[in-house]
Structures are given as structure tokens and as C-alpha cells.
Amino acid sequence: MDAKTIILIISGGIAAVKIPELIRRLRDQGRSVIPVMTKAAHEFVTPLSVSALAEHRVYTDLFDLTDEAEMGHIELSRSADIVLVAPGTANLVAKMAHGFADDLASTLLLATDTPVIIAPSMNVRMWEHPTTCRNLAQLRADGVRVIGPNKGVMACGEFGYGRMAEVTEILGAVDGFFKVGPLQGKHALVTSGPTHEPIDPVRYIANRSSGAQGTAIAAALRDLGARVSFVTGPADVASPSGVEIHRVQTAVEMLQAVRSILPVDVAVCAAAVADWRMASAHDQKMKKTTSGPLPNLEFAENPDILADLSKGVHRPRLVVGFAAETEYVIKNATAKRLRKGCDWIVANDVSSDTGVMGGQKNTVTLIDDNGAEAWDEMPKEGVAKRLALRIAQDLK
Ligand code: C5P
């Protein structure tokens, strides 16, 4: 692995306590780390421990640089291969989204022309606040790669999304960034998992998709060097590391997430999106009555994300759909390719006796302009690798 230089910006959140371990692991990999700390970060981790592990002095103030005639803040901002922000507080996210430059960290981020990866970390309410959502969407649109946050218990005792991505996940993102492969420089979008369509606050419509095939495809594209945006419904399997994860529940949310990620070079729609949602979900839990009529569920059609992508103004160069069928697999999938307007369809038989849904293996047929090509049964990772190589060939 080539040694690469990383400017590591540490802002003032409790997750800063994990940063010495991150620095140690980066150094073990032979990476050079230039640490920059905000003032607030000093409350959580000492500059002494950071500089000792990084084997590099810590910068905090713009004035730290004035005594180094050879490197000002502009030059410093461009001296690394990437800028990694971990943890990224709500405050720093807001400053980045709006271009504030009132300390060294935010000034570097405004002045840099190198790619930026951020691992946000904050209280769940702050993460879910519409302002933060807007700011994050802005950063993504500006090309910043966002890793995490994860769901879990927070230092403040609350539970939800906001925990900084684990050190191994951040390392995965950095590795993924430097990976040399045929898809380097390409941006891939993968949808995965089922969607959950609420009936009322406690019930929902779902399907048996585990997310295993979509997860394997995202990992395979990442391994070939692609930047991967991974939009996942509530899946059973863990999301892959080193990809940008967008978690959604419903088809409508999945469509919004997908649109916010475009443009991309390739989109692979492996999600088992519910075709219908409730025409109007109940605000309160529906009650069982002893004598009244049984509930009458009225459905509305969900947006077709694959068709939307294939026919939209930001159509990716290559759009790949999946067809989960239980009968007339090839005939139905061939018709689906034309109806949806995608380039390829990966067709599979998901009848219950095949064990595909929720299972480890898959037998697929790839359908493109040239017809149908049947692949032997193989693990879902095998299907993913072969598909990723095929994608790399096509995008060459
Ligand atoms: O129409 P059907 O659900 O069988 O199509 C399957 C393909 O379309 C899959 O690639 C799936 O991810 C995608 N799809 C979608 N949006 C929907 C339904 C399916 O993107 N609402």
C-alpha cells in the first residue's frame, strides 16, 4: 500500500476519544497524519497524545502556521491526499456547509482542493434536525464523502443515529478512497434491502429481502475502486464498510435519497422496493374492535425508483435492475428491462423452494441488449464480483 498523507481534523465531540486509536491504526498502515484540532476538541483529547501518536505537531490556530514560513494554511490545506474530519460535530458540519472560516479547521476545509471525508458524530436530535439534514445534503452535493453515523447508545444516554462510525469503518473508507482498481474515479449507486411501508405507528408492510445481494454488490464495486453510495432499507445483514450509507425505511424515502445522490456513473437497483404503500398510514395504532368491521387497507402505488433513474434527466451511463420473479423468469425479466428503461436486468427466481430470499446463494440470468446469459449457481458474493467486473468493463 502506498503511504498517503491525511490531514485529520478533530472537532470537539465526545467521539474524539476514539481518535488516538484511529491515528495509531493509520500510522500502522504507513500513512502520514497531520493533525488539526479545534479548540473544543482539546476538551476531549489532549494535543500531546494526538501529536505523540501522529508523530507530527498539532495545529489549532491559524497563527500556529505563521512561524513556519514554508507552509501557510492554504498550502497546508493542499498538502495531503485527503482531508479526514473525525469526529465531525454538528457545528463543523454547519460551518462547512456555509463556508465559514473562523478557525484553522474551517479555513483549511474552505481552502482545500483535496477530497474530504467526514465521520459525523452528534446527539440523535441534532442529527435528525432539519438544519443538519440540509447541511449534510449540501456537503454531499459538494462531493464530501460521509461515513456513518451509526445507530446506538450515545454518551448522553439517548439512543439513535449519531454515534461516530467505528474506527475500522473509517479506516475502510480511507482504504476505499485510495484503492486502485478499474472503477477508480467512478461513482456507483446501489439500492439494497427491503422497504418498510407503515400501516400505523407499529405495523408495516415488508418483504423477505435480507439485503445480502445488494450489500455484496456494493462491497464488490468498492473493491474495484469505485466510490459507492449505498441506499439501504431495513436489511438483516450489516452494511458494508468503506461506502457512504443512506438509511431509509420507505420507497418514497429511497427515491429521495437516490435523487439526492445523482449524478453517478452506474446505478444498481438491488432493493426489493414495496410496490404499494398505504394510501394514508394511520397516525395512531389501529384498534381491534369486538363487533366493528375488519380493517380495510387501501393501497397507493409507490414510485418506481428504477424507472425514475432510467428515464430521468440525470440518467447514469449504466443502469442495472433486478427482477425477482416466481414464474416465467426470463420472459418477465426481459419485458421488465424494456418497461423500466434500464440497460441490464439481473433476473432471479425467488420462489420459496429456491431459498434465494434470505439465503447465501443465487442463480441469476443477466439480460442485456444481446439477450439472456445464464450464470451458474454461486454465492451472492460471487454474483456480485462477476457483476462488478462486468460493470467495470462496460464503463471503461
Ligand atoms: O417491478 P419490480 O419490483 O419487479 O422491479 C424490480 C426492480 O425494480 C429492482 O431492480 C428494484 O430494485 C426496482 N424497483 C424500484 N422501485 C420500485 C420497485 C422496484 O427501483 N418501486
Side-chain angles (χ1 to χ4, degrees):
M1 175 193 299
D2 267 1
K4 301 278 186 191
T5 303
I6 295 161
I7 291 183
L8 174 62
I9 295 183
I10 309 167
S11 62
I14 184 66
V17 300
K18 294 186 191 165
I19 298 307
E21 171 66 4
L22 175 66
I23 298 174
R24 196 182 61 72
R25 302 273 297 270
L26 288 168
R27 294 291 295 132
D28 283 352
Q29 294 179 337
R31 314 252 188 237
S32 302
V33 177
I34 304 176
V36 174
M37 292 173 70
T38 64
K39 282 249 160 58
H42 290 63
E43 304 292 331
F44 299 96
V45 61
T46 70
L48 191 62
S49 53
V50 169
S51 69
L53 287 162
E55 297 171 86
H56 195 288
R57 75 170 281 194
V58 172
Y59 300 115
T60 296
D61 280 319
L62 280 163
F63 313 104
D64 289 344
L65 302 165
T66 52
D67 56 340
E68 293 193 30
E70 78 279 7
M71 179 140 14
H73 63 275
I74 305 287
E75 212 184 319
L76 174 64
S77 76
R78 297 173 192 171
S79 62
D81 298 290
I82 51 166
V83 177
L84 172 62
V85 183
T89 57
N91 181 52
L92 188 52
V93 165
K95 280 165 55 169
M96 289 167 73
H98 294 274
F100 282 89
D102 59 358
D103 63 0
L104 179 62
S106 51
T107 305
L108 287 181
L109 284 159
L110 195 60
T112 192
D113 58 1
T114 42
V116 177
I117 300 179
I118 185 168
S121 164
M122 64 196 74
N123 167 273
V124 57
R125 297 273 164 269
M126 294 167 84
W127 174 250
E128 287 172 356
H129 196 283
T131 310
T132 307
C133 295
R134 272 199 308 274
N135 290 340
L136 251 303
Q138 185 60 57
L139 293 192
R140 288 195 167 107
D142 294 343
V144 173
R145 297 189 183 198
V146 182
I147 300 301
N150 294 340
K151 196 177 199 174
V153 182
M154 340 223 114
C156 56
E158 285 184 52
F159 182 86
Y161 284 103
R163 276 171 69 94
M164 188 176 77
E166 295 303 323
V167 165
T168 47
E169 293 174 273
I170 300 174
L171 290 168
V174 172
D175 283 351
F177 182 81
F178 291 131
K179 198 143 255 154
V180 185
L183 286 174
Q184 202 175 21
K186 298 283 191 280
H187 188 182
L189 163 71
V190 179
T191 71
S192 182
T195 62
H196 284 183
E197 309 294 335
I199 296 171
D200 67 19
V202 294
R203 304 181 178 97
Y204 55 84
I205 303 163
N207 60 63
R208 294 185 200 285
S209 165
S210 64
Q213 186 63 80
T215 298
I217 291 167
L221 292 168
R222 173 204 64 197
D223 288 345
L224 294 186
R227 168 186 177 192
V228 179
S229 293
F230 183 67
V231 182
T232 176
D236 294 339
V237 301
S239 296
S241 64
V243 304
E244 292 159 55
I245 300 170
H246 301 250
R247 290 188 175 84
V248 297
Q249 295 281 328
T250 66
V252 168
E253 287 170 9
M254 189 172 273
L255 177 66
Q256 278 167 356
V258 162
R259 284 185 175 165
S260 76
I261 293 162
L262 298 177
V264 296
D265 298 289
V266 53
V268 181
C269 291
V273 185
D275 290 323
W276 309 284
R277 65 177 181 280
M278 291 283 288
S280 55
H282 290 249
D283 290 340
Q284 305 299 331
K285 186 184 169 202
M286 294 163 73
K287 296 303 251 182
K288 186 166 79 176
T289 53
T290 40
S291 54
L294 291 174
N296 194 3
L297 301 186
E298 199 188 322
F299 289 100
E301 198 165 333
N302 264 333
D304 191 314
I305 301 161
L306 178 59
D308 189 86
L309 263 172
S310 302
K311 296 171 184 169
V313 277
H314 292 299
R315 187 192 202 280
R317 212 171 107 193
L318 179 64
V319 182
V320 184
F322 272 68
E325 304 288 345
T326 52
E327 56 178 1
Y328 309 116
V329 177
I330 306 302
K331 183 165 160 270
N332 285 345
T334 304
K336 188 169 291 178
R337 189 177 85 90
L338 299 177
R339 196 169 62 242
K340 304 232 181 192
C342 59
D343 301 297
W344 304 348
I345 280 272
V346 182
N348 53 2
D349 187 343
V350 292
S351 315
S352 48
D353 56 343
T354 64
V356 166
M357 278 238 173
Q360 310 290 323
K361 293 194 171 164
N362 210 348
T363 312
V364 307
T365 302
L366 182 72
I367 299 171
D368 64 9
D369 257 346
N370 303 318
E373 179 185 306
W375 294 2
D376 290 340
E377 185 191 65
M378 57 184 113
K380 288 181 175 172
E381 286 74 18
V383 172
K385 283 191 181 135
R386 188 155 165 189
L387 186 66
L389 282 170
R390 192 69 165 249
I391 290 170
Q393 252 171 17
D394 190 79
L395 292 184
K396 236 192 326 218

